[in-house]
Structure formats: C-alpha cells, structure tokens
Amino acid sequence: NAGVMQNPRHLVRRRGQEARLRCSPMKGHSHVYWYRQLPEEGLKFMVYLQKENIIDESGMPKERFSAEFPKEGPSILRIQQVVRGDSAAYFCASSPGTGLSDEQFFGPGTRLTVL
Amino acid sequence: AQRVTQPEKLLSVFKGAPVELKCNYSYSGSPELFWYVQYSRQRLQLLLRHISRESIKGFTADLNKGETSFHLKKPFAQEEDSAMYYCALSGSGYSTLTFGKGTMLLVSP
C-alpha cells in the first residue's frame, strides 16, 4: 500500500491564478480530510469528505475554496484567484471510515507558493 | 470551541535525559487525544492515542481530565527522537482533528 498520495508536492502560482491540489487516499479508505498549515502554525482542519459527499466544511474559507471527492479519482482541493495569504502547506489525510475513532493517515503535503 | 495548546515551540535535551512535551486542551465534552510525530523529511504519523494506553518507542501519555492535559513523556531521550511533535484532539462523535502548533524536540548527543 503506497499510502496517501498528494500531487503536486510543490505548486507555484501567481496571484489571481487557480490552484488544484490532488489527494489519492490509501486503498480501501473512503474518508478524506484536508488540513492547511500556515508558517509557524499547526495544521488546521478545512474539510471532511466521503465519496461524493461533503460531510463537514466548517474550516473552509467561504469564498474561492472548494473541495470534491468524486466516485472515481482523487479528491481535489481547488483554490480560485489565489492570493499571497493562501501560501501554505496543504495536507490530506484518509481513514477507512469504519468508526469515529479511525486513525487518519497523512500524505506528504502540497506546498503552495503564491507569488 | 475546542483548542489545543503546546506552550513550548522548542525543547532541547541531551541524550539520556527525561523528556516531557506539554499539551493542554480545551473541550467541553469527552475528547480523544493524540500525539502525532513528523520526523525530518517524513510525513506526519500517529505516535499514540490515549484510548489505546500504549507505550510507543518508549513514549507514554496520560490523559488528565482534571488538568485538561495530555503530556508526552519519555524517561530517556534518544537522538532518533528528534522530530516535530503535535498534540491533537478529536471531539466526541466527531473525527476531524484540532492540532496544537507543535513542539520541536532536539536531542543532542
């Protein structure tokens, strides 16, 4: 099992462009979580998805950010019209979804830099 | 609102010394507490969780509900313990995690 995969590992965008971050969960996992880590900060929850459903998006900024986890393919975190403040490391985690106390397995992260 | 506080940004000890990484939390219900570790150039991974009451790599952590703390301890630090440690909380009936800012542990020879 290759573990949680994220790509790209590094992404550079200019202000106003769109950023698309991808996350492939571990095999057999149906739950995906996205976290953002700003410099000198801990990871902050953004959104929790199951296949084709957003379960909790309470940590997502109201504008420009969206997430999906389609029936087929990876989960996508999309940031439209990026600004410098979006520069951060974005981590994806997955869990099997068999119970509320499932361990979350983390990907290596995508480091987004907005110029 | 739930919150996790790790008061130390950096903890530097010598090999063989005892280690205690502090974690305090704020949550109104019955939380589940975790310690995650990130070694250099590796991904974040679960070290231990309070419900399992295990000792992993010599580390232990006890949930103290009176003091709302979940400090991570190891009696004799090793150089390979050098890493970033994050305390995290999951609320009852909920699976998303709230993280502290992390403590960098440096163990010198």
mmCIF file of all heavy atoms in Angstrom, chain A residues 54-88:
data_model
loop_
_atom_site.group_PDB
_atom_site.id
_atom_site.type_symbol
_atom_site.label_atom_id
_atom_site.label_comp_id
_atom_site.label_asym_id
_atom_site.label_seq_id
_atom_site.Cartn_x
_atom_site.Cartn_y
_atom_site.Cartn_z
ATOM 1 N N ILE A 54 -19.775 15.989 0.883
ATOM 2 C CA ILE A 54 -19.033 16.826 1.826
ATOM 3 C C ILE A 54 -19.706 16.657 3.184
ATOM 4 O O ILE A 54 -20.892 16.956 3.343
ATOM 5 C CB ILE A 54 -19.050 18.307 1.397
ATOM 6 C CG1 ILE A 54 -18.306 18.476 0.077
ATOM 7 C CG2 ILE A 54 -18.409 19.176 2.482
ATOM 8 C CD1 ILE A 54 -18.368 19.883 -0.489
ATOM 9 N N ILE A 55 -18.948 16.157 4.150
ATOM 10 C CA ILE A 55 -19.518 15.898 5.468
ATOM 11 C C ILE A 55 -19.419 17.130 6.359
ATOM 12 O O ILE A 55 -20.339 17.461 7.086
ATOM 13 C CB ILE A 55 -18.815 14.707 6.145
ATOM 14 C CG1 ILE A 55 -18.849 13.467 5.245
ATOM 15 C CG2 ILE A 55 -19.430 14.420 7.505
ATOM 16 C CD1 ILE A 55 -20.243 13.046 4.839
ATOM 17 N N ASP A 56 -18.282 17.793 6.297
ATOM 18 C CA ASP A 56 -18.048 18.955 7.160
ATOM 19 C C ASP A 56 -17.099 19.890 6.445
ATOM 20 O O ASP A 56 -15.974 19.498 6.128
ATOM 21 C CB ASP A 56 -17.460 18.502 8.503
ATOM 22 C CG ASP A 56 -17.201 19.644 9.475
ATOM 23 O OD1 ASP A 56 -17.433 20.822 9.122
ATOM 24 O OD2 ASP A 56 -16.750 19.358 10.603
ATOM 25 N N GLU A 57 -17.535 21.091 6.161
ATOM 26 C CA GLU A 57 -16.662 22.075 5.519
ATOM 27 C C GLU A 57 -16.539 23.315 6.394
ATOM 28 O O GLU A 57 -16.317 24.423 5.905
ATOM 29 C CB GLU A 57 -17.151 22.437 4.114
ATOM 30 C CG GLU A 57 -18.577 22.927 4.057
ATOM 31 C CD GLU A 57 -19.035 23.219 2.626
ATOM 32 O OE1 GLU A 57 -18.195 23.250 1.710
ATOM 33 O OE2 GLU A 57 -20.255 23.416 2.450
ATOM 34 N N SER A 58 -16.670 23.131 7.681
ATOM 35 C CA SER A 58 -16.674 24.273 8.604
ATOM 36 C C SER A 58 -15.341 25.020 8.645
ATOM 37 O O SER A 58 -15.283 26.166 9.044
ATOM 38 C CB SER A 58 -17.055 23.816 10.016
ATOM 39 O OG SER A 58 -16.144 22.838 10.486
ATOM 40 N N GLY A 59 -14.264 24.377 8.213
ATOM 41 C CA GLY A 59 -12.961 25.032 8.233
ATOM 42 C C GLY A 59 -12.573 25.673 6.909
ATOM 43 O O GLY A 59 -11.491 26.250 6.797
ATOM 44 N N MET A 60 -13.433 25.577 5.937
ATOM 45 C CA MET A 60 -13.121 26.132 4.612
ATOM 46 C C MET A 60 -13.457 27.615 4.566
ATOM 47 O O MET A 60 -14.532 28.018 5.007
ATOM 48 C CB MET A 60 -13.951 25.418 3.541
ATOM 49 C CG MET A 60 -13.473 24.036 3.246
ATOM 50 S SD MET A 60 -12.218 23.987 2.008
ATOM 51 C CE MET A 60 -13.254 23.873 0.566
ATOM 52 N N PRO A 61 -12.573 28.428 4.010
ATOM 53 C CA PRO A 61 -12.952 29.822 3.761
ATOM 54 C C PRO A 61 -14.192 29.851 2.873
ATOM 55 O O PRO A 61 -14.379 28.994 2.019
ATOM 56 C CB PRO A 61 -11.724 30.380 3.034
ATOM 57 C CG PRO A 61 -10.595 29.505 3.468
ATOM 58 C CD PRO A 61 -11.176 28.145 3.636
ATOM 59 N N LYS A 62 -15.027 30.845 3.097
ATOM 60 C CA LYS A 62 -16.334 30.884 2.422
ATOM 61 C C LYS A 62 -16.197 31.142 0.931
ATOM 62 O O LYS A 62 -17.045 30.707 0.128
ATOM 63 C CB LYS A 62 -17.210 31.974 3.045
ATOM 64 C CG LYS A 62 -17.599 31.689 4.492
ATOM 65 C CD LYS A 62 -18.672 30.628 4.557
ATOM 66 C CE LYS A 62 -19.150 30.376 5.982
ATOM 67 N NZ LYS A 62 -18.254 29.540 6.755
ATOM 68 N N GLU A 63 -15.166 31.822 0.542
ATOM 69 C CA GLU A 63 -15.011 32.165 -0.876
ATOM 70 C C GLU A 63 -13.732 31.557 -1.434
ATOM 71 O O GLU A 63 -12.765 31.335 -0.721
ATOM 72 C CB GLU A 63 -14.974 33.690 -1.040
ATOM 73 C CG GLU A 63 -16.267 34.357 -0.606
ATOM 74 C CD GLU A 63 -16.206 35.870 -0.695
ATOM 75 O OE1 GLU A 63 -15.107 36.406 -0.915
ATOM 76 O OE2 GLU A 63 -17.247 36.509 -0.527
ATOM 77 N N ARG A 64 -13.745 31.284 -2.690
ATOM 78 C CA ARG A 64 -12.603 30.853 -3.520
ATOM 79 C C ARG A 64 -12.168 29.409 -3.277
ATOM 80 O O ARG A 64 -11.455 28.866 -4.113
ATOM 81 C CB ARG A 64 -11.390 31.786 -3.308
ATOM 82 C CG ARG A 64 -11.645 33.255 -3.605
ATOM 83 C CD ARG A 64 -10.360 34.072 -3.561
ATOM 84 N NE ARG A 64 -9.770 34.080 -2.224
ATOM 85 C CZ ARG A 64 -8.654 33.418 -1.902
ATOM 86 N NH1 ARG A 64 -8.014 32.700 -2.803
ATOM 87 N NH2 ARG A 64 -8.176 33.492 -0.670
ATOM 88 N N PHE A 65 -12.560 28.798 -2.192
ATOM 89 C CA PHE A 65 -12.118 27.434 -1.881
ATOM 90 C C PHE A 65 -13.270 26.450 -2.112
ATOM 91 O O PHE A 65 -14.406 26.720 -1.727
ATOM 92 C CB PHE A 65 -11.668 27.320 -0.422
ATOM 93 C CG PHE A 65 -10.323 27.927 -0.135
ATOM 94 C CD1 PHE A 65 -10.151 29.296 -0.124
ATOM 95 C CD2 PHE A 65 -9.228 27.111 0.127
ATOM 96 C CE1 PHE A 65 -8.903 29.857 0.142
ATOM 97 C CE2 PHE A 65 -7.982 27.657 0.402
ATOM 98 C CZ PHE A 65 -7.823 29.031 0.408
ATOM 99 N N SER A 66 -12.943 25.322 -2.719
ATOM 100 C CA SER A 66 -13.929 24.262 -2.861
ATOM 101 C C SER A 66 -13.207 22.924 -2.838
ATOM 102 O O SER A 66 -12.007 22.850 -3.100
ATOM 103 C CB SER A 66 -14.730 24.420 -4.153
ATOM 104 O OG SER A 66 -13.874 24.325 -5.284
ATOM 105 N N ALA A 67 -13.949 21.872 -2.522
ATOM 106 C CA ALA A 67 -13.361 20.538 -2.464
ATOM 107 C C ALA A 67 -14.370 19.530 -2.975
ATOM 108 O O ALA A 67 -15.580 19.721 -2.854
ATOM 109 C CB ALA A 67 -12.938 20.190 -1.036
ATOM 110 N N GLU A 68 -13.841 18.455 -3.552
ATOM 111 C CA GLU A 68 -14.702 17.384 -4.010
ATOM 112 C C GLU A 68 -13.971 16.064 -3.853
ATOM 113 O O GLU A 68 -12.738 15.999 -3.818
ATOM 114 C CB GLU A 68 -15.109 17.596 -5.473
ATOM 115 C CG GLU A 68 -13.960 17.602 -6.444
ATOM 116 C CD GLU A 68 -14.425 17.720 -7.890
ATOM 117 O OE1 GLU A 68 -15.616 17.948 -8.129
ATOM 118 O OE2 GLU A 68 -13.565 17.569 -8.776
ATOM 119 N N PHE A 69 -14.742 14.999 -3.781
ATOM 120 C CA PHE A 69 -14.199 13.648 -3.731
ATOM 121 C C PHE A 69 -15.142 12.796 -4.574
ATOM 122 O O PHE A 69 -16.118 12.229 -4.078
ATOM 123 C CB PHE A 69 -14.159 13.164 -2.285
ATOM 124 C CG PHE A 69 -13.441 11.860 -2.078
ATOM 125 C CD1 PHE A 69 -12.591 11.313 -3.037
ATOM 126 C CD2 PHE A 69 -13.612 11.154 -0.899
ATOM 127 C CE1 PHE A 69 -11.937 10.111 -2.826
ATOM 128 C CE2 PHE A 69 -12.957 9.949 -0.669
ATOM 129 C CZ PHE A 69 -12.124 9.431 -1.630
ATOM 130 N N PRO A 70 -14.869 12.727 -5.876
ATOM 131 C CA PRO A 70 -15.800 12.041 -6.779
ATOM 132 C C PRO A 70 -15.785 10.527 -6.583
ATOM 133 O O PRO A 70 -14.883 9.977 -5.934
ATOM 134 C CB PRO A 70 -15.271 12.432 -8.164
ATOM 135 C CG PRO A 70 -13.824 12.747 -7.949
ATOM 136 C CD PRO A 70 -13.715 13.310 -6.568
ATOM 137 N N LYS A 71 -16.767 9.903 -7.200
ATOM 138 C CA LYS A 71 -16.878 8.450 -7.107
ATOM 139 C C LYS A 71 -15.607 7.771 -7.625
ATOM 140 O O LYS A 71 -15.145 6.766 -7.084
ATOM 141 C CB LYS A 71 -18.091 7.994 -7.910
ATOM 142 C CG LYS A 71 -18.470 6.545 -7.734
ATOM 143 C CD LYS A 71 -19.753 6.236 -8.492
ATOM 144 C CE LYS A 71 -20.112 4.766 -8.327
ATOM 145 N NZ LYS A 71 -21.345 4.433 -9.091
ATOM 146 N N GLU A 72 -15.074 8.307 -8.693
ATOM 147 C CA GLU A 72 -13.830 7.789 -9.246
ATOM 148 C C GLU A 72 -12.779 8.895 -9.221
ATOM 149 O O GLU A 72 -13.083 10.042 -9.521
ATOM 150 C CB GLU A 72 -14.046 7.333 -10.706
ATOM 151 C CG GLU A 72 -15.113 6.255 -10.875
ATOM 152 C CD GLU A 72 -14.671 4.923 -10.302
ATOM 153 O OE1 GLU A 72 -13.447 4.699 -10.177
ATOM 154 O OE2 GLU A 72 -15.564 4.108 -9.958
ATOM 155 N N GLY A 73 -11.556 8.543 -8.893
ATOM 156 C CA GLY A 73 -10.485 9.522 -8.947
ATOM 157 C C GLY A 73 -10.184 10.150 -7.606
ATOM 158 O O GLY A 73 -10.837 9.860 -6.595
ATOM 159 N N PRO A 74 -9.186 11.021 -7.606
ATOM 160 C CA PRO A 74 -8.728 11.596 -6.345
ATOM 161 C C PRO A 74 -9.657 12.680 -5.818
ATOM 162 O O PRO A 74 -10.520 13.194 -6.535
ATOM 163 C CB PRO A 74 -7.369 12.209 -6.721
ATOM 164 C CG PRO A 74 -7.542 12.596 -8.154
ATOM 165 C CD PRO A 74 -8.419 11.524 -8.753
ATOM 166 N N SER A 75 -9.433 13.054 -4.587
ATOM 167 C CA SER A 75 -10.075 14.237 -4.037
ATOM 168 C C SER A 75 -9.320 15.467 -4.538
ATOM 169 O O SER A 75 -8.093 15.443 -4.684
ATOM 170 C CB SER A 75 -10.039 14.186 -2.508
ATOM 171 O OG SER A 75 -10.563 15.387 -1.960
ATOM 172 N N ILE A 76 -10.059 16.524 -4.811
ATOM 173 C CA ILE A 76 -9.469 17.755 -5.324
ATOM 174 C C ILE A 76 -9.804 18.907 -4.382
ATOM 175 O O ILE A 76 -10.973 19.081 -4.001
ATOM 176 C CB ILE A 76 -10.027 18.122 -6.718
ATOM 177 C CG1 ILE A 76 -9.901 16.966 -7.694
ATOM 178 C CG2 ILE A 76 -9.355 19.395 -7.236
ATOM 179 C CD1 ILE A 76 -8.536 16.745 -8.252
ATOM 180 N N LEU A 77 -8.783 19.653 -4.015
ATOM 181 C CA LEU A 77 -8.981 20.925 -3.317
ATOM 182 C C LEU A 77 -8.654 22.023 -4.320
ATOM 183 O O LEU A 77 -7.554 22.056 -4.873
ATOM 184 C CB LEU A 77 -8.065 21.029 -2.097
ATOM 185 C CG LEU A 77 -8.182 22.339 -1.285
ATOM 186 C CD1 LEU A 77 -9.548 22.430 -0.609
ATOM 187 C CD2 LEU A 77 -7.080 22.425 -0.226
ATOM 188 N N ARG A 78 -9.612 22.885 -4.555
ATOM 189 C CA ARG A 78 -9.468 23.905 -5.586
ATOM 190 C C ARG A 78 -9.492 25.285 -4.943
ATOM 191 O O ARG A 78 -10.379 25.584 -4.135
ATOM 192 C CB ARG A 78 -10.623 23.762 -6.576
ATOM 193 C CG ARG A 78 -10.582 24.706 -7.756
ATOM 194 C CD ARG A 78 -11.805 24.432 -8.611
ATOM 195 N NE ARG A 78 -11.923 25.372 -9.720
ATOM 196 C CZ ARG A 78 -13.070 25.722 -10.282
ATOM 197 N NH1 ARG A 78 -14.202 25.242 -9.833
ATOM 198 N NH2 ARG A 78 -13.082 26.566 -11.295
ATOM 199 N N ILE A 79 -8.514 26.086 -5.312
ATOM 200 C CA ILE A 79 -8.455 27.461 -4.801
ATOM 201 C C ILE A 79 -8.465 28.393 -6.011
ATOM 202 O O ILE A 79 -7.557 28.371 -6.846
ATOM 203 C CB ILE A 79 -7.191 27.727 -3.966
ATOM 204 C CG1 ILE A 79 -6.973 26.620 -2.916
ATOM 205 C CG2 ILE A 79 -7.292 29.091 -3.281
ATOM 206 C CD1 ILE A 79 -5.642 26.704 -2.188
ATOM 207 N N GLN A 80 -9.501 29.175 -6.104
ATOM 208 C CA GLN A 80 -9.613 30.104 -7.225
ATOM 209 C C GLN A 80 -9.012 31.457 -6.848
ATOM 210 O O GLN A 80 -9.031 31.867 -5.677
ATOM 211 C CB GLN A 80 -11.089 30.291 -7.599
ATOM 212 C CG GLN A 80 -11.728 29.029 -8.147
ATOM 213 C CD GLN A 80 -13.200 29.226 -8.461
ATOM 214 O OE1 GLN A 80 -14.018 29.375 -7.571
ATOM 215 N NE2 GLN A 80 -13.536 29.239 -9.748
ATOM 216 N N GLN A 81 -8.500 32.142 -7.851
ATOM 217 C CA GLN A 81 -7.985 33.510 -7.674
ATOM 218 C C GLN A 81 -7.090 33.604 -6.435
ATOM 219 O O GLN A 81 -7.366 34.355 -5.497
ATOM 220 C CB GLN A 81 -9.151 34.501 -7.569
ATOM 221 C CG GLN A 81 -10.002 34.528 -8.830
ATOM 222 C CD GLN A 81 -11.200 35.446 -8.696
ATOM 223 O OE1 GLN A 81 -11.938 35.367 -7.714
ATOM 224 N NE2 GLN A 81 -11.377 36.312 -9.661
ATOM 225 N N VAL A 82 -6.021 32.829 -6.435
ATOM 226 C CA VAL A 82 -5.165 32.733 -5.255
ATOM 227 C C VAL A 82 -4.586 34.090 -4.870
ATOM 228 O O VAL A 82 -4.335 34.949 -5.725
ATOM 229 C CB VAL A 82 -4.023 31.712 -5.451
ATOM 230 C CG1 VAL A 82 -4.581 30.306 -5.610
ATOM 231 C CG2 VAL A 82 -3.132 32.097 -6.612
ATOM 232 N N VAL A 83 -4.381 34.244 -3.567
ATOM 233 C CA VAL A 83 -3.734 35.437 -3.012
ATOM 234 C C VAL A 83 -2.535 34.979 -2.196
ATOM 235 O O VAL A 83 -2.388 33.788 -1.893
ATOM 236 C CB VAL A 83 -4.710 36.247 -2.119
ATOM 237 C CG1 VAL A 83 -5.926 36.687 -2.917
ATOM 238 C CG2 VAL A 83 -5.155 35.424 -0.912
ATOM 239 N N ARG A 84 -1.673 35.941 -1.848
ATOM 240 C CA ARG A 84 -0.430 35.583 -1.155
ATOM 241 C C ARG A 84 -0.709 34.855 0.154
ATOM 242 O O ARG A 84 0.050 33.977 0.565
ATOM 243 C CB ARG A 84 0.419 36.827 -0.883
ATOM 244 C CG ARG A 84 1.034 37.413 -2.136
ATOM 245 C CD ARG A 84 2.479 37.800 -1.913
ATOM 246 N NE ARG A 84 3.089 38.191 -3.176
ATOM 247 C CZ ARG A 84 3.245 39.446 -3.554
ATOM 248 N NH1 ARG A 84 2.838 40.427 -2.784
ATOM 249 N NH2 ARG A 84 3.811 39.714 -4.714
ATOM 250 N N GLY A 85 -1.805 35.201 0.813
ATOM 251 C CA GLY A 85 -2.154 34.570 2.075
ATOM 252 C C GLY A 85 -2.530 33.101 1.958
ATOM 253 O O GLY A 85 -2.648 32.403 2.978
ATOM 254 N N ASP A 86 -2.713 32.622 0.728
ATOM 255 C CA ASP A 86 -3.012 31.198 0.526
ATOM 256 C C ASP A 86 -1.745 30.353 0.553
ATOM 257 O O ASP A 86 -1.824 29.110 0.573
ATOM 258 C CB ASP A 86 -3.712 30.979 -0.825
ATOM 259 C CG ASP A 86 -5.065 31.672 -0.897
ATOM 260 O OD1 ASP A 86 -5.701 31.867 0.169
ATOM 261 O OD2 ASP A 86 -5.490 32.025 -2.019
ATOM 262 N N SER A 87 -0.600 30.988 0.544
ATOM 263 C CA SER A 87 0.669 30.255 0.588
ATOM 264 C C SER A 87 0.737 29.467 1.893
ATOM 265 O O SER A 87 0.650 30.033 2.983
ATOM 266 C CB SER A 87 1.856 31.215 0.507
ATOM 267 O OG SER A 87 1.893 31.876 -0.743
ATOM 268 N N ALA A 88 0.872 28.166 1.767
ATOM 269 C CA ALA A 88 0.831 27.287 2.939
ATOM 270 C C ALA A 88 1.131 25.866 2.469
ATOM 271 O O ALA A 88 1.247 25.596 1.280
ATOM 272 C CB ALA A 88 -0.545 27.317 3.602
#
